[in-house]
Amino acid sequence: MNSLRTCARAAIRIQKLTSVIYTGERGIKRWVAPTLRVINKRKAKLGPQPEPRRSNFLDWNYNAEIFAFNKRLSENFDVELLQQAFTHRSYVAQEEQKQREVGIENPELSIKDNTDLIVEGKCLTSEIVERYLRQALPRLPEEGILKLKDYLLSEEIVAKVSVQIGTKDIILSEDHPVRQETLVNTFFALVAALARSNDVVHTSFFVRDFLIATLSDKEILSIWTPSHPFQTLDAILNREKRGSADFRLTAQTGVNTILAAYQVAVYSDQQFLGIGTGETVQVAKNIAALDALQRMFGIADFSRPIPFNLTVDVSSQRTENLPLTKWCTENLKHTVGG
């Protein structure tokens, strides 16, 4: 009898324990929604607020941020040069003004600004980008190389890269929020600081991995397009002593409707050069000529993508790609890397 009573008591305890474990419970408390409504109403009454400075936060530690930036990029910046790269002239002028306001007539600060680094880094970045593009795209005319370089060195692209590597909160500058020009100058100063800390070859890897790699999701034709594809194609064929471009209508559909489509192929001496499709025959011919030029320049959709593992030697002899006015297969063989 005692054993039966013990088992019955144990069963009752287990049932009570199970009921406690599986009791339903609200995941969000009832006070959360009303509180959020009040907070949002108060924010709406205040209007748009200025972006807070990260350096004004209580947990801000500038030396720790500099150390973390260096390690986050897996680089070996000299600490003094890295701090100088982030310090702009406007910040130094601001600190000098603060000292004058407290009675110091001739303020002397042991802070170096990045003016010299900006000039040095801009020239070095331009040289690295230009040489890398010529090495990666040896068949592309010089006009296309310069256009790609201008795109990569544009304020929008360089500022975007600068933000992505984490410079925005560490920059010491008078302006806040940080302007695009300041972000661009900071990136150029970092390039120069890295070159002084290591060497130019290592710096070219930095520029390649963070700046030039932005071309990976871009079509070259969207950045640079020959202005006169018909004349350019005929001129190249003439220099190669081949017949002029022969455009042939290969397919059409929806004629005399708003959904008309035409496919035109271009040939030379019965050899296929390119193909294009458009809503009119003229548009299709234009696209076919561009497709033929892309195939010649090695930038077609099926061409080998731009390599992002090359090494650039800035000290080597500088060579330029062929301009459009001289481009042909025979001249390309005599160029370096052709």
Side-chain angles (χ1 to χ4, degrees):
M1 279 305 281
N2 291 334
S3 61
L4 291 175
R5 290 176 182 175
T6 304
C7 293
R9 291 172 183 172
I12 293 173
R13 290 175 182 174
I14 292 174
Q15 289 178 358
K16 290 182 179 180
L17 181 61
T18 305
S19 62
V20 172
I21 293 175
Y22 291 102
T23 300
E25 185 177 351
R26 287 177 59 88
I28 301 177
K29 301 298 181 181
R30 293 182 182 275
W31 56 265
V32 174
T35 304
L36 292 178
R37 292 193 192 99
V38 173
I39 292 175
N40 289 333
K41 287 180 181 179
R42 292 181 179 179
K43 286 184 178 179
K45 288 181 180 180
L46 289 175
Q49 297 297 306
E51 183 180 349
R53 282 182 179 267
R54 183 67 180 86
S55 57
N56 292 338
F57 290 17
L58 294 177
D59 60 347
W60 177 255
N61 187 331
Y62 188 72
N63 293 329
E65 293 291 338
I66 291 293
F67 178 82
F69 180 85
N70 205 350
K71 296 302 179 182
R72 185 166 60 245
L73 298 184
S74 299
E75 296 293 348
N76 189 22
F77 284 96
D78 180 80
V79 177
E80 293 184 0
L81 288 173
L82 186 57
Q83 291 180 345
Q84 181 182 352
F86 282 115
T87 306
H88 290 261
R89 178 57 194 168
S90 60
Y91 174 80
V92 178
Q94 186 182 36
E95 293 298 315
E96 291 175 350
Q97 182 62 28
K98 289 181 180 179
Q99 292 194 7
R100 293 190 186 96
E101 291 176 356
V102 296
I104 302 177
E105 296 181 357
N106 298 318
E108 295 183 1
L109 299 176
S110 59
I111 304 176
K112 296 182 180 179
D113 61 80
N114 59 5
T115 304
D116 296 337
L117 292 176
I118 292 173
V119 177
E120 179 184 343
K122 188 173 184 179
C123 295
L124 182 58
T125 304
S126 177
E127 185 70 17
I128 291 174
V129 169
E130 195 169 319
R131 285 176 177 267
Y132 192 94
L133 291 175
R134 287 171 179 158
Q135 185 176 347
L137 301 168
R139 300 179 64 89
L140 189 67
E142 185 67 14
E143 291 85 347
I145 296 294
L146 297 179
K147 202 70 175 180
L148 290 177
K149 186 189 77 169
D150 293 340
Y151 168 79
L152 288 175
L153 297 181
S154 63
E155 187 175 278
E156 180 183 358
I157 299 301
V158 180
K160 183 179 178 181
V161 172
S162 182
V163 171
Q164 289 175 344
I165 64 177
T167 64
K168 184 178 179 180
D169 293 329
I170 318 177
I171 293 175
L172 297 179
S173 176
E174 182 183 10
D175 55 302
H176 182 76
V178 183
R179 295 180 289 114
Q180 275 196 349
E181 181 183 0
T182 305
L183 291 169
V184 171
N185 290 335
T186 302
F187 181 83
F188 290 146
L190 286 173
V191 172
L194 186 61
R196 293 185 184 183
S197 302
N198 296 276
D199 52 48
V200 178
V201 176
H202 184 83
T203 307
S204 67
F205 296 154
F206 178 85
V207 176
R208 177 197 67 188
D209 295 340
F210 291 109
L211 183 60
I212 301 177
T214 57
L215 288 175
S216 60
D217 61 346
K218 296 291 293 185
E219 291 186 3
I220 296 179
L221 204 63
S222 64
I223 302 174
W224 173 76
T225 304
S227 54
H228 304 288
F230 293 122
Q231 294 84 340
T232 303
L233 181 59
D234 281 334
I236 292 176
L237 294 175
N238 185 33
R239 283 191 290 271
E240 294 185 351
K241 298 180 180 180
R242 300 171 61 180
S244 59
D246 180 20
F247 295 91
R248 303 177 188 177
L249 182 65
T250 58
Q252 61 181 4
T253 183
V255 181
N256 298 328
T257 68
I258 60 174
L259 299 177
Y262 301 88
Q263 187 180 71
V264 174
V266 57
Y267 295 83
S268 175
D269 297 334
Q270 298 184 355
Q271 293 184 358
F272 175 79
L273 298 180
I275 193 168
T277 304
E279 59 272 16
T280 65
V281 176
Q282 187 62 29
V283 172
K285 289 174 63 177
N286 187 39
I287 296 176
L290 287 175
D291 182 62
L293 292 175
Q294 287 186 85
R295 293 169 185 262
M296 291 179 178
F297 300 153
I299 57 174
D301 294 338
F302 55 83
S303 299
R304 179 186 176 186
I306 300 177
F308 297 107
N309 57 351
L310 304 179
T311 302
V312 176
D313 186 7
V314 180
S315 62
S316 62
Q317 184 179 1
R318 182 175 180 177
T319 58
E320 296 183 357
N321 287 19
L322 287 173
L324 274 175
T325 55
K326 297 181 180 180
W327 201 100
C328 68
T329 307
E330 187 64 27
N331 292 339
L332 193 65
K333 295 178 181 178
H334 300 292
T335 60
V336 178

